[in-house]
Amino acid sequence: RALLWEAGGGGRAAGGDIRLGSAPRLALEPLGGKREALEALGGKREALEALGGKREALEALGGKREALEALGGKREARACARLRAAVRVPTVSREGPGAADEVALLRFGRLLREEFPAVFESELVTHDLVANFSHLLTVRGADGGRTPYMLTAHLDVVPAPDYGWDVPPFSGEIHQGYIYGRGTIDDKHSLMAILEALELLLQRGFVPQRTFYIGIGHDEEIGGDKGARNIAKVLESRGVKLDFLLDEGMVILDGVVPGLQIPVAVVGVSEKGSLMLRLRVRTETGHSSMPAKESCIGILSAAITRLESNPLPQQFGSGPERALFEYLSPQFNFPMRVVTSNLWLFGPIFSWVLGQKPTTNALIRTTTAVTEFHAGVKPNVVAPLAEATVNYRIHPAQSVSEVLRLTEEIIADDRVELEVLSSMEPLPISPFDESATGYWTISKSITDTFPDIVSAPGLCIANTDTRHYQKLTSALYRFTPVWNKLEDIPRYHGVNERISLQNYKQTIHFYFNLMQNADQEEPLIKHFHTEDL
Ligand SMILES: CCCCCCCC/C=C\CCCCCCCC(=O)NCC(=O)O
Ligand SMILES: [Zn+2]
Ligand SMILES: [Zn+2]
């Protein structure tokens, strides 16, 4: 597996035969082009010209391992440099009209075209610019009779104030083996890794059997209404149906699930709904020397306190979280194994345990997050208006209308106006049974990349662009192979977002494996492993 990265590889044709070139040109191609090969060889043009093929070249370099390491280091460095360059373009999405940084979005599009020439110049690939800043790539497969699949990612990021970061958030600096910066785990890592994998495969002469699409949205962090929604419309207008779609979402969890002894890759087979609610209280304004008994600030604060101290009821067992724990049951330590294999009995106590930590609590109930509060105009003026935003993430067992009703009941104060800013029902559960080819293709690609972990279907607790693609397929999955320990979870939308160099390599390997596994008629058949290269 590591040799994929380190070797630069031998060419591999679609049929799977390894072609180690016997002519200088063929030796250069697997190394990613003449310039790269010459650089890696230390500029020894004559030496290279004198060599008749890869084997001789490697021998001349003093042994296979050293040669491979030298060449691999180069490729690795370039991929990391490309991710760092992507981070340095501040493609920040902000709420409100005209809030997109169009210069950054255009710059990012140029960066993609420059950094992935094999992708953008390939005869197999068609590039559509959608809604000015989003991208749809169609990679034409040799077998037009097979149902295509799709990989999606987004190029925008949430804002990142400098405060609290160890390095500036848009610097892409490497620090202690990690690339730091906004987007390194949400979601430029997956976008860039998908293109790295495709670039590598195309350089090796790979021709996919089935067509696949790569959709890159530019406004996922504010709902995807321009990017993903229009990418989906383009595909719908072309009559496309997908076998499955894979987007960002859940991740690898290491030490996050209490009692689970090995890391688990959770593939989101459903996604929570969302409700953004504006709470508003208006009161009479005036001189602060003669205040009324209650202020709009006090009234709204009391309402918020009631919401926070009355979490919505737990729903453990009525969503896909139950399947997750049943799948994982054999991997739990002794007491937890008994608990998770007898959820009919221990369900209530287990759900209480899950409810104690924010990460696991998010699995079992509709969560309530008060994210914004604005009030007041001047220290000596009674505030006329107080406003807050509450963001609910809705468990699949509940609906938007039920959450609204419960909110009104909990607040129980007519002076607090409620305005729905946006809402989305929870998404249906995608198939993960034995015949779910998409799910098993993803699962196999996880195992191929990470042999020592388990994968399991679960609930995606955040939202993704997948909602826009529902007309194209009912097999929507949410996963990127970011390795998270408990202390890493706050990095999402938080400070010091980062990915290790090793984990970024693995992310590329994952998509490299996936693009090949997706071609297998029977996804459980072993494909060409990267260590064979
Ligand atoms: C047994 C399983 C325990 C589950 C613990 C959940 C831990 C979740 C860890 C990471 C979640 C990462 C989410 C990344 C996707 C982010 C997508 C996003 O930001 N979308 C926008 C939005 O939701 O607002
Ligand atoms: Zn994201
Ligand atoms: Zn995000």
Side-chain angles (χ1 to χ4, degrees):
R1 200 154 283 106
L3 291 190
L4 149 75
W5 190 270
E6 291 166 2
R12 189 183 292 290
D17 54 315
I18 299 172
R19 293 197 214 132
L20 290 177
S22 58
R25 183 142 178 274
L26 280 179
L28 291 171
E29 278 172 1
L31 301 175
K34 193 169 179 185
R35 171 174 299 179
E36 183 178 341
L38 288 175
E39 279 171 14
L41 290 165
K44 292 178 189 157
R45 175 185 291 252
E46 310 76 53
L48 187 64
E49 279 171 0
L51 299 168
K54 189 174 178 196
R55 172 172 299 180
E56 292 85 337
L58 292 173
E59 279 168 9
L61 283 163
K64 194 169 177 188
R65 170 168 299 181
E66 293 82 333
L68 292 177
E69 276 170 13
L71 300 172
K74 202 96 188 162
R75 190 180 283 287
E76 175 182 339
R78 288 184 177 201
C80 291
R82 282 189 278 265
L83 178 59
R84 297 173 67 200
V87 169
R88 284 197 286 268
V89 186
T91 49
V92 175
S93 274
R94 293 190 164 81
E95 302 288 337
D101 183 343
E102 300 196 346
V103 173
L105 294 173
L106 289 172
R107 228 176 99 198
F108 198 88
R110 278 200 303 278
L111 177 139
L112 294 183
R113 277 179 273 247
E114 281 163 20
E115 297 294 351
F116 299 104
V119 171
F120 283 87
E121 287 162 22
S122 168
E123 288 186 349
L124 297 177
V125 180
T126 310
H127 173 223
D128 289 292
L129 194 63
V130 178
N132 297 327
F133 311 112
S134 286
H135 305 267
L136 170 62
L137 299 174
T138 305
V139 186
R140 204 175 57 255
D143 183 350
R146 295 190 59 189
T147 315
Y149 68 98
M150 184 160 187
L151 305 175
T152 51
H154 63 90
L155 63 84
D156 62 320
V157 294
V158 291
D162 268 355
Y163 180 77
W165 286 72
D166 293 342
V167 302
F170 295 101
S171 66
E173 271 184 44
I174 295 182
H175 182 51
Q176 296 177 338
Y178 290 85
I179 306 173
Y180 275 73
R182 184 57 91 222
T184 49
I185 52 174
D186 178 14
D187 178 39
K188 288 178 175 173
H189 70 299
S190 90
L191 187 178
M192 296 300 278
I194 290 168
L195 295 178
E196 291 286 353
L198 181 57
E199 180 89 2
L200 275 166
L201 283 166
L202 291 172
Q203 282 172 358
R204 286 165 169 70
F206 172 77
V207 177
Q209 285 305 295
R210 63 163 150 174
T211 294
F212 65 99
Y213 300 94
I214 299 172
I216 304 170
H218 73 271
D219 59 348
E220 187 276 343
E221 295 290 2
I222 48 173
D225 281 336
K226 292 187 178 142
R229 193 161 69 91
N230 283 305
I231 294 174
K233 275 190 177 166
V234 169
L235 292 174
E236 284 165 31
S237 73
R238 293 177 187 169
V240 170
K241 289 286 175 201
L242 300 171
D243 183 23
F244 71 94
L245 179 145
L246 175 64
D247 197 1
E248 66 167 341
M250 293 308 276
V251 291
I252 298 171
L253 300 171
D254 180 5
V256 175
V257 186
L260 191 65
Q261 301 178 109
I262 58 171
V264 56
V266 181
V267 179
V269 294
S270 174
E271 178 175 319
K272 287 179 109 176
S274 169
L275 170 62
M276 296 281 185
L277 210 53
R278 177 68 40 84
L279 271 49
R280 189 174 289 120
V281 179
R282 299 173 208 267
T283 44
E284 292 229 332
T285 180
H287 202 289
S288 61
S289 61
M290 301 166 282
K293 201 168 159 211
E294 286 182 290
S295 67
C296 57
I297 296 175
I299 295 167
L300 187 56
S301 303
I304 286 172
T305 302
R306 284 197 289 282
L307 287 178
E308 289 191 337
S309 48
N310 289 284
L312 297 188
Q314 67 85 15
Q315 307 286 341
F316 181 71
S318 43
E321 70 281 346
R322 191 180 186 111
L324 174 71
F325 292 106
E326 283 165 356
Y327 252 74
L328 293 178
S329 183
Q331 311 297 339
F332 277 93
N333 63 17
F334 164 63
M336 292 301 275
R337 200 178 319 142
V338 176
V339 169
T340 52
S341 53
N342 292 283
L343 287 173
W344 60 273
L345 178 61
F346 295 114
I349 179 77
F350 190 53
S351 78
W352 181 85
V353 172
L354 295 175
Q356 300 313 299
K357 294 234 169 73
T359 43
T360 43
N361 182 51
L363 275 187
I364 60 161
R365 60 162 43 87
T366 297
T367 50
T368 309
V370 182
T371 50
E372 292 173 307
F373 196 110
H374 304 288
V377 287
K378 196 171 181 310
N380 61 351
V381 174
V382 171
L385 174 68
E387 289 186 315
T389 312
V390 183
N391 180 199
Y392 292 99
R393 300 298 173 118
I394 305 173
H395 187 278
Q398 288 187 307
S399 63
V400 172
S401 61
E402 188 179 351
V403 172
L404 266 175
R405 181 178 58 76
L406 290 169
T407 304
E408 282 168 353
E409 277 176 28
I410 294 168
I411 292 178
D413 186 341
D414 288 344
R415 294 171 298 179
V416 182
E417 300 166 24
L418 303 185
E419 182 195 351
V420 175
L421 299 179
S422 65
S423 69
M424 172 187 132
E425 299 291 354
L427 268 74
I429 300 179
S430 299
F432 57 91
D433 62 336
E434 279 153 26
S435 64
T437 51
Y439 179 83
W440 290 109
T441 300
I442 296 162
S443 176
K444 175 162 171 33
S445 308
I446 292 170
T447 313
D448 288 342
T449 315
F450 305 93
D452 301 325
I453 69 175
V454 284
S455 65
L459 171 65
C460 184
I461 58 168
N463 292 125
T464 70
D465 271 339
T466 55
R467 85 195 75 156
H468 298 294
Y469 295 102
Q470 291 185 82
K471 287 191 185 147
L472 298 169
T473 178
S474 57
L476 298 165
Y477 303 102
R478 303 144 187 98
F479 173 76
T480 69
V482 178
W483 195 284
N484 288 280
K485 291 188 179 284
L486 195 55
E487 62 268 25
D488 295 318
I489 306 293
R491 299 181 196 277
Y492 289 92
H493 291 195
V495 299
N496 288 325
E497 183 176 348
R498 67 181 193 184
I499 191 166
S500 73
L501 297 170
Q502 168 73 0
N503 196 183
Y504 185 50
K505 277 198 287 185
Q506 291 163 333
T507 307
I508 298 170
H509 287 189
F510 168 74
Y511 292 110
F512 182 92
N513 287 326
L514 181 73
M515 286 171 195
Q516 290 184 81
N517 282 331
D519 269 356
Q520 305 296 311
E521 297 278 357
E522 163 54 70
L524 298 179
I525 293 172
K526 191 176 183 290
H527 80 127
F528 310 113
H529 280 286
T530 47
E531 63 261 48
D532 302 335
L533 291 172

